[in-house]
Amino acid sequence: MKTNADVEKIIEMSKKFETLAIRTQTETTQFSEHSVPLYLTSGFVFDDAEEMRASFAEEKQRDLYSRYSNPNVNEFVDKICAMEGAESGYAFASGMAAVFSTFATLLDAGDHVVSCSSVFGATHGLFTKYFPKWNIECSYFNIDEVETIENLIKPNTKFIYAETPTNPGVDVLDLDFLSAICKKHNILLVIDNCFATPYLQNPIKHGADLVIHSATKLIDGQGRVLGGVTVGKKELIREIYLFSRLTGPSMSPFNAWVLSKSLETLAVRTEKHCENALKIAEYLENHPKVKWVKYPFLKSHPKYDVAKKQMRLGGTIVAFEVEGGVAGGRAFFDNIKMCSLSANLGDTRTIVTHPASTTHAKVEPEVKAAVGITDGSVRISAGLEHIDDIIADLKQALG
Ligand SMILES: *Cc1c(COP(=O)(O)O)cnc(C)c1O
């Protein structure tokens, strides 16, 4: 009978994304299930006192309690690590649990962080509302002024934090450039890779120390469950794990089981999402009522060359602005018929969002302006419906 070791031999040799996504899996039980079962259990049992002692002392590697680890969660983490080329990882209940727990582990009172100014709304909220309370300072750089980053670094700077592409501006940052600065100043590089997914971009291969994902978006891809994960250097993940096993932000086995299945189709889904997104971007670029369009794989994107260098495809998000300011934007949203008005992204359904009144409503007006969120800007998450139907809906809504 073939064993997991036989399968591992083949995937170890090829390291092809699609094969890793499907064949990296937990050992099955005595029932030889083809699809990995759901290990819906909070705890695990021990044979005797010695096994229990050795397990808790970490002399023996095994699952103890699902706040620490669980077979379904381990499989999900193993798959993400294989896809990102990471040594180790830990999975969380949501993307924000991953962001917060990573920060809380790495930072001490009195530390300083340098971040790109365009970050996910909730992450920005952590910087502005909670960092001051713990005496942690954050300095921001604008996407257009990356040359100024070095001037922001201080003796107490712990890491540079960035998203690329950014939410919701769809700006692109050069990962090689950022990691070179971090190496020079001996600080860490932490990247939120949510918009790119592990299929489109692998920041660790460009020198990042830690990579964070909200698995809620394209990794689930079907708008069902929340999840998050941080992967990277073994010794850093060890600290994140120790923090998390005390504080309890862990991913549920059920969500891990759903997300592990989703990863098996990430490559094919993402290819199609990106194909539709590019067609949407090209359509909008030629529309007279559209002021501007931003999509990493459009030649007009200011960082088109960087996007081409570090991303396999342009991603699923297109940003644009309708002529006519707030009124123009509102009319567009009110006229949309098929696409969903929602704040989520990376779903099978095409979603249109108004960042200024939703995800970024609590962000200060000057910060919104700096990161290019105008009252009329629209963010589209290209779904998997037929492209003709998506374009037809956008066309009638713009008309
Ligand atoms: C959605 C999102 C998050 C937060 O993830 P949740 O799973 O909603 O907690 C973090 N970063 C980015 C870039 C996101 O889009």
Side-chain angles (χ1 to χ4, degrees), residues 76 90-102 120 122 192 194 212-217 225-230 244 248-252 255 259:
F76 173 71
Y90 186 85
F92 298 89
S94 69
M96 281 319 297
V99 171
F100 172 71
S101 304
T102 303
F120 185 63
D192 181 335
C194 169
I212 299 174
H213 281 285
S214 164
T216 316
K217 314 294 167 57
V225 299
L226 291 155
V229 64
T230 303
S244 304
S250 43
M251 175 178 276
S252 88
N255 286 12
L259 292 165

Side-chain angles (χ1 to χ4, degrees), residues 22-35:
I22 292 167
R23 293 290 174 179
T24 303
Q25 68 174 49
T26 307
E27 295 273 1
T28 50
T29 71
Q30 73 270 29
F31 300 112
S32 305
E33 309 87 347
H34 196 195
S35 174

Side-chain angles (χ1 to χ4, degrees), residues 18-282:
E18 293 82 349
T19 314
L20 289 170
I22 292 167
R23 293 290 174 179
T24 303
Q25 68 174 49
T26 307
E27 295 273 1
T28 50
T29 71
Q30 73 270 29
F31 300 112
S32 305
E33 309 87 347
H34 196 195
S35 174
V36 172
L38 170 56
Y39 294 91
L40 206 51
T41 179
S42 41
F44 300 84
V45 287
F46 306 91
D47 288 341
D48 50 33
E50 174 51 23
E51 196 202 4
M52 191 148 88
R53 185 208 60 79
S55 304
F56 274 84
E58 296 188 62
E59 289 163 20
K60 187 175 176 179
Q61 280 304 311
R62 51 156 295 167
D63 297 306
L64 312 176
Y65 187 59
S66 287
R67 173 155 34 85
Y68 298 8
S69 70
N70 168 285
N72 294 116
V73 178
N74 300 344
E75 178 181 317
F76 173 71
V77 171
D78 287 348
K79 281 182 168 167
I80 298 282
C81 285
M83 292 170 167
E84 287 285 12
E87 291 171 0
S88 182
Y90 186 85
F92 298 89
S94 69
M96 281 319 297
V99 171
F100 172 71
S101 304
T102 303
F103 289 170
T105 303
L106 295 179
L107 295 167
D108 295 313
D111 278 345
H112 174 249
V113 172
V114 173
S115 167
C116 68
S117 50
S118 177
V119 290
F120 185 63
T123 306
H124 181 80
L126 278 182
F127 290 157
T128 51
K129 187 152 183 233
Y130 293 100
F131 271 25
K133 166 166 134 166
W134 299 312
N135 190 27
I136 296 165
E137 203 195 345
C138 190
S139 308
Y140 306 95
F141 62 91
N142 273 337
I143 308 290
D144 317 329
E145 302 159 6
V146 279
E147 288 70 26
T148 62
I149 296 177
E150 278 201 90
N151 301 336
L152 297 175
I153 295 172
K154 304 180 188 188
N156 59 342
T157 305
K158 268 275 165 70
F159 57 83
I160 292 182
Y161 183 79
E163 294 175 12
T164 180
T166 61
N167 181 2
V170 203
D171 286 304
V172 173
L173 286 163
D174 190 330
L175 290 167
D176 294 320
F177 174 79
L178 291 179
S179 80
I181 294 178
C182 291
K183 297 255 151 24
K184 183 173 161 196
H185 293 270
N186 202 21
I187 57 176
L188 300 173
L189 178 61
V190 183
I191 298 292
D192 181 335
N193 201 29
C194 169
F195 265 35
T197 79
Y199 181 64
L200 299 179
Q201 174 176 279
N202 297 132
I204 289 171
K205 292 176 185 155
H206 296 273
D209 298 282
L210 289 171
V211 171
I212 299 174
H213 281 285
S214 164
T216 316
K217 314 294 167 57
L218 268 172
I219 288 178
D220 174 39
Q222 289 145 89
R224 300 165 299 182
V225 299
L226 291 155
V229 64
T230 303
V231 299
K233 295 237 167 77
K234 213 178 195 156
E235 60 278 14
L236 296 172
I237 296 295
R238 168 86 187 149
E239 294 305 315
I240 293 169
Y241 162 74
L242 291 174
F243 175 81
S244 304
R245 73 179 231 178
L246 284 181
T247 53
S250 43
M251 175 178 276
S252 88
F254 177 75
N255 286 12
W257 178 80
V258 170
L259 292 165
S260 286
K261 284 275 139 211
S262 287
L263 285 176
E264 297 183 9
T265 57
L266 182 67
V268 278
R269 286 187 288 107
T270 306
E271 287 275 344
K272 190 70 186 172
H273 277 288
C274 294
E275 183 189 319
N276 283 352
L278 180 61
K279 285 182 181 157
I280 291 170
E282 285 167 352

